Amino acid sequence: MQQRREMKMPDIWRTAYEVTRYTDYTFYDFDQSREVIWLKNDKKASMMCLHATNVDTSSEDAVDYILHRLFIQGQHGVVRHVESYYPDADGASERFEADGVEIIHEGVKDYGTLIDNPFYRLDLKYKQSKPAAHYQKRLLSRHPFERYMVRFTPMTYLLTAINLVVFLLNLILIHIVGSFQLTEQLAVSHSAVVSGDLYRLLSSSFLHVTVEHFLFNIFALFIAGKFIEVLYGKWRLAIAYVLTGILSSLFSLVFITEGASLGASGAVYGLIGILIVHLLIRGKIDLKLLLQIAILFVVLSFISQIMANINHYAHFGGLLFGGLLGVLFNRQSFKRVWTIVSISLLVLIAAISYFMVMGSNAEPAYNQEAMSKLQSGEYSAALGIVTEAVNEGDDTAGTYHVLGLIAEYTGDYDLAEQYHEKSFEMNPKHEWAVKHKLIKLRKDKDYEAMGQILDDLNIKRIKDEELRLIAKEYYGNE
């Protein structure tokens, strides 16, 4: 009979608790007579045994015990792989095949080596240990919120960290440097997206300005993100956050053509949409989990109502796209037709939103009002309107075109030219900016540059009559 050296090991309840935090294993059973904790991984059809004492692998009992427990637990024929760990300074390892089950008995010097995760090893080695009863209570807990929240979810932490870094950087720029440059570059707006800044559809999902806005969104992201990552994995969480963030922003621009939007709430509502589908398709609804998700949704909705400038269209879009993704993430629970319908709706709504946004040349109402005031000679009123737009971060190419015209009327032609150049740079397809640019080029007889600009325009879709005439004149003379 083999002799095993006794050694002091971390309590198996603490080890089991940490294993369930960092892997897909969950608590399944505890054999009090032998002091063995059983953990199960449904995804891999495997089990893990953690023994408090060493095991004599030379004895037939070592294998018979595993098979017997599988039979008692009703897992015989279901589980195909069992990893049995016990304390042993020699690190012996034995592999057996019995009744279609692969059994690995392995002696370990340190339970901290079971999982190849540096955070797991650090927790076992350096984190102050608590009584075994504490870990046993948490491991046996059936409370859904606690089960999900204790899990190690790296993608949730990464998304949270990115939001935090961008927020702190923006906070420093605003309150110390006195610059809104990051906000202006990352926030999503109709005019910016139409002018080609498609990256804003995603970047805006990581951008926050106020502390309240950040804390509110990051709290919701942390909770919903953990649920999604535990249920579907880190990569599906990343896909869900990015995709619903982009599509919810795009969907909102169909209805909102003025101002800028930012914040993670569109993506957060997308994650909630996935959770709602998950709860609906479960054979037995977890009432506690349902209640917790409902409370989160109610809190999100309530705070959204009392906060100013909330993009409700992004919230609705996020919920809609999240629900469709939820069907795709659970396609094994639906008939094939539902998967096809979900993919079709996802692509169709996204495509319609894109073409409606990109095909719209709608000028914000405040720019139109400023232009109207300007044309009627009310220069001060026009200046007040566009100045407020700039201060609020709602400035567009049209805003700077109006500022350029005001500067012309006051005789400051150098400043006027700076404003017109900025207007054209912001949106090379903005009709007001393009018209002014073409008039200047025509005056300078730079017909080649005029042609380059006009080649990028769809003449049939030009709304400005004067610009259309310039284009027809150019091509007519060509």
Side-chain angles (χ1 to χ4, degrees), residues 131-345:
H134 168 81
Y135 299 106
Q136 182 177 5
K137 180 180 178 180
R138 301 197 71 177
L139 195 61
L140 298 180
S141 173
R142 296 303 180 195
H143 195 284
F145 188 80
E146 182 173 2
R147 289 207 312 271
Y148 292 118
M149 294 306 292
V150 300
R151 289 284 296 275
F152 177 73
T153 48
M155 188 58 68
T156 301
Y157 302 147
L158 177 61
L159 292 173
T160 302
I162 294 174
N163 274 277
L164 176 61
V165 170
V166 175
F167 170 69
L168 291 177
L169 181 59
N170 200 28
L171 206 64
I172 292 172
L173 289 175
I174 292 174
H175 295 285
I176 297 179
V177 181
S179 169
F180 284 87
Q181 184 178 0
L182 191 63
T183 302
E184 294 171 356
Q185 290 180 345
L186 300 184
V188 66
S189 66
H190 187 278
S191 59
V193 171
V194 170
S195 66
D197 291 348
L198 296 180
Y199 72 88
R200 294 173 182 266
L201 294 172
L202 176 61
S203 64
S204 60
S205 296
F206 295 95
L207 179 66
H208 301 85
V209 175
T210 66
V211 175
E212 297 82 1
H213 187 210
F214 170 76
L215 291 178
F216 165 65
N217 276 341
I218 219 65
F219 170 75
L221 168 61
F222 189 77
I223 295 177
K226 272 187 164 290
F227 275 87
I228 294 297
E229 188 165 355
V230 172
L231 291 170
Y232 298 106
K234 59 184 179 182
W235 296 118
R236 286 192 176 184
L237 169 61
I239 291 172
Y241 186 91
V242 170
L243 196 58
T244 57
I246 292 174
L247 295 180
S248 62
S249 294
L250 181 63
F251 181 80
S252 71
L253 295 181
V254 175
F255 307 94
I256 300 176
T257 59
E258 300 180 16
S261 299
L262 47 88
S265 54
V268 169
Y269 270 80
L271 302 184
I272 293 176
I274 296 174
L275 288 176
I276 291 174
V277 173
H278 175 82
L279 292 174
L280 291 176
I281 65 174
R282 290 172 64 90
K284 180 180 178 181
I285 296 220
D286 193 323
L287 294 180
K288 287 184 177 180
L289 180 57
L290 180 62
L291 179 62
Q292 289 157 359
I293 299 301
I295 291 174
L296 176 61
F297 184 75
V298 169
V299 170
L300 279 168
S301 300
F302 175 74
I303 297 181
S304 295
Q305 292 295 329
I306 63 177
M307 291 179 69
N309 300 320
I310 295 300
N311 189 341
H312 296 290
Y313 294 107
H315 294 175
F316 177 78
L319 200 63
L320 172 63
F321 290 117
L324 294 174
L325 274 181
V327 174
L328 299 181
F329 284 178
N330 295 278
R331 58 186 181 277
Q332 70 280 357
S333 301
F334 291 91
K335 293 182 179 179
R336 187 176 181 182
V337 64
W338 284 104
T339 301
I340 296 174
V341 168
S342 296
I343 295 175
S344 300
L345 285 176

Side-chain angles (χ1 to χ4, degrees), residues 11 16 48 71 100 114 159 183 202-203 261 269 296 370 387 404 417 434 436 454:
D11 182 85
M48 179 185 295
F71 180 79
L114 292 187
L159 292 173
T183 302
L202 176 61
S203 64
S261 299
Y269 270 80
L296 176 61
T387 300
E417 191 58 33
V434 170
H436 183 276
L454 288 169

Side-chain angles (χ1 to χ4, degrees), residues 8 105 155 217 240 308 342 356 359 361 380 425 429 461 473:
K8 184 176 178 58
H105 283 297
M155 188 58 68
N217 276 341
S342 296
M356 287 183 69
N361 290 317
S380 296
E425 289 174 3
K429 295 184 180 181
R461 294 175 58 183
E473 178 185 325

Side-chain angles (χ1 to χ4, degrees), residues 371-383:
M371 181 66 82
S372 177
K373 295 289 186 183
L374 187 62
Q375 291 171 345
S376 63
E378 301 177 58
Y379 304 133
S380 296
L383 180 60

Side-chain angles (χ1 to χ4, degrees), residues 21-34:
R21 285 187 64 205
Y22 290 96
T23 70
D24 290 326
Y25 281 95
T26 58
F27 175 79
Y28 188 79
D29 191 17
F30 176 56
D31 182 1
Q32 189 171 4
S33 63
R34 293 206 183 192

